[in-house]
Amino acid sequence: MSARFGVAGNSDTFTRTVSRASADAPAWLRSIGLDCYEYQCGQGVRVGEATARTIGANAARAGIALSLHAPYFINLSNPAPEALARNTGHVLAACRAAQWMGAARVVVHAGALMGRGRAEALETAKASLREILRAVRAAGYGEIALCPETMGKINQLGDLEEVLALCRMDEALIPCVDFGHLYARSLGALDGAEAFSAMLDRMEDVLGAARARRFHSHFSKIEFTPRGGEKRHLRFADPGWGPDFRPLAAEVVRRGWEPVFICESAGTQSEDALEMRRIYDSCKGEE
């Protein structure tokens, strides 16, 4: 098994030269050499059943593995009962759409601190996630893995330790490690071979090798500010910011792990995902 590479949503090249319909994306991604696709529901789950099933059928024919990003406004760390009800509804809607598509993973944000300490916010998020997992299983979506995501802004819940603490609660949870987000919230510190090796070691220590080796991932260059962390996603061609994918690729190859890498570059995600695959393949050739 090898790592898989794909895109978040539709790149500018796809929408400009191929189609604006996501149902056409799987065949195109296969034609250019990618093998996974993350459908975006960041602004809400608005895809209908017929469209979702068409995307799923097209992906199955093309050999494209699917995941789905749940709405951005989910906030697991909000302690209000009505917030839990809303969050549960958003996750259930995302899982329903994922099941229609045949998507195996749903990415979920942990949310903002809301002026509270990190430990308190984390305990709230754990309690929320337990209730959401119960609802997901009761609704018949137990085969779909929820993937709590590391976040890029300093005032958000979601550094690596916090995401691993959430994933430790249940074997069905798989971390979505966004290396660009971690780079941004650490103000550039989490970059390079030593940092990547330490992060992967920590994932294995907490989750065990079997779950850690198939982690979900987002990757892009990200500009950050000293006070807030993440400012904006960039393209690989944009100078002056990281992280650098090569040392991460080399470490994944060395371990023989098989993660899913979803490129979130700003508009050039298809080109940059192909560059990630090229780097990964070159690292395999050096082994």
Side-chain angles (χ1 to χ4, degrees):
M1 294 290 289
S2 296
R4 299 182 76 113
F5 293 87
V7 298
N10 298 323
S11 68
D12 291 347
T13 297
F14 173 77
T15 57
R16 186 177 63 250
T17 66
V18 181
S19 173
R20 300 190 69 83
S22 293
D24 296 327
W28 182 74
L29 291 170
R30 172 55 66 184
S31 75
I32 65 171
L34 298 174
D35 55 12
C36 50
Y37 179 56
E38 189 160 288
Y39 188 84
Q40 300 298 290
C41 291
Q43 303 305 319
V45 183
R46 300 168 182 168
V47 62
E49 181 175 0
T51 298
R53 291 191 182 280
T54 299
I55 292 169
N58 291 348
R61 278 193 293 270
I64 299 294
L66 295 177
S67 54
L68 183 145
H69 201 305
Y72 299 143
F73 37 76
I74 290 171
N75 187 354
L76 301 180
S77 57
N78 188 331
E82 59 271 23
L84 176 59
R86 287 194 303 270
N87 290 332
T88 302
H90 293 317
V91 174
L92 288 175
C95 287
R96 180 181 61 196
Q99 190 177 74
W100 288 338
M101 290 182 189
R105 297 175 174 185
V106 168
V107 177
V108 181
H109 288 179
L113 298 178
M114 301 176 66
R116 296 171 300 147
R118 306 198 73 87
E120 180 185 357
L122 178 59
E123 290 307 308
T124 300
K126 286 180 179 179
S128 297
L129 192 52
R130 287 189 193 99
E131 292 302 314
I132 288 171
L133 278 171
R134 290 191 189 102
V136 165
R137 286 165 174 160
Y141 305 131
E143 80 282 3
I144 296 169
L146 298 185
C147 303
E149 182 180 359
T150 60
M151 301 305 297
K153 293 185 184 296
I154 294 168
N155 67 354
Q156 291 173 318
L157 190 72
D159 64 19
L160 182 61
E161 287 298 324
E162 289 160 349
V163 164
L164 292 179
L166 292 174
C167 291
R168 182 185 279 153
M169 297 185 342
D170 195 289
E171 289 289 324
L173 298 168
I174 296 173
C176 176
V177 183
D178 189 315
F179 291 95
H181 282 166
L182 294 175
Y183 165 86
R185 73 180 299 134
S186 71
L187 308 184
L190 291 179
D191 193 10
E194 185 176 346
F196 291 135
S197 179
M199 285 188 275
L200 299 186
D201 281 347
R202 183 59 180 157
M203 291 163 58
E204 185 170 1
D205 289 344
V206 173
L207 303 177
R211 196 158 30 137
R213 68 181 290 114
R214 56 190 180 92
F215 70 91
H216 200 75
S217 178
H218 292 166
F219 197 95
S220 67
K221 286 186 172 184
I222 293 186
E223 180 182 353
F224 61 81
T225 65
R227 295 177 65 86
E230 177 188 2
K231 180 179 180 181
R232 59 175 177 149
H233 286 240
L234 303 171
R235 305 166 301 169
F236 279 15
D238 293 324
W241 303 93
D244 179 9
F245 184 66
R246 178 168 289 279
L248 175 59
E251 188 61 26
V252 168
V253 166
R254 185 184 70 80
R255 294 167 188 255
W257 285 15
E258 47 197 29
V260 171
F261 283 113
I262 299 294
C263 183
E264 288 194 320
S265 293
T268 58
Q269 56 267 53
S270 56
E271 291 87 349
D272 292 351
L274 286 170
E275 175 64 7
M276 290 166 65
R277 163 147 277 165
R278 185 196 67 75
I279 292 168
Y280 172 81
D281 288 343
S282 73
C283 291
K284 288 181 75 173
E286 294 167 3
E287 281 290 292

